[in-house]
Amino acid sequence: AGNLGRRLTRVEDVMRTGRDVRTASPDETVRQVFVRLAGPRRRSGAVLVVDGQGGLLGIFTDSDLVRLFERRREAELDRPIAEVMTASPFRAREGSMLGEAVELMKGRKISELPVVDGDDRLLGLIDVTDLIGASPEDFEE
């Protein structure tokens, strides 16, 4: 968290990008996605489903995975992730205020919030664990 010690005002100040964001194409199976993404990387609790142009289609969280097991729906691990993802998830727009994103996450009780550009292409992800390390004075009102 090299951002700490300065004012965090925009969603870009804390979002994960690049290899720190787990993505999948809609036709990959849940099992294929988790096998491909296994390894010692910085993880979030979400896989973001994107189209070929990087457009955000949906989100599949660790909680969704747990629910498949709890409901004895393990067979769906071999179905396309698009069939079990949350389509059109909540998202933050590039340039939006971090405080608004935090309020949305708090109000909707979500741990991950995708960040998109004006064309709804995925830019990054805000994960609640990235916010926990910040102190209140890091956030500007």
Side-chain angles (χ1 to χ4, degrees), residues 122-135:
L122 181 66
L123 296 176
L125 176 72
I126 298 174
D127 189 289
V128 70
T129 58
D130 300 325
L131 299 172
I132 291 170
S135 57

Side-chain angles (χ1 to χ4, degrees), residues 38-52:
R41 322 175 16 182
R42 184 173 173 214
R43 300 188 54 248
S44 80
V47 173
L48 300 171
V49 183
V50 294
D51 64 22

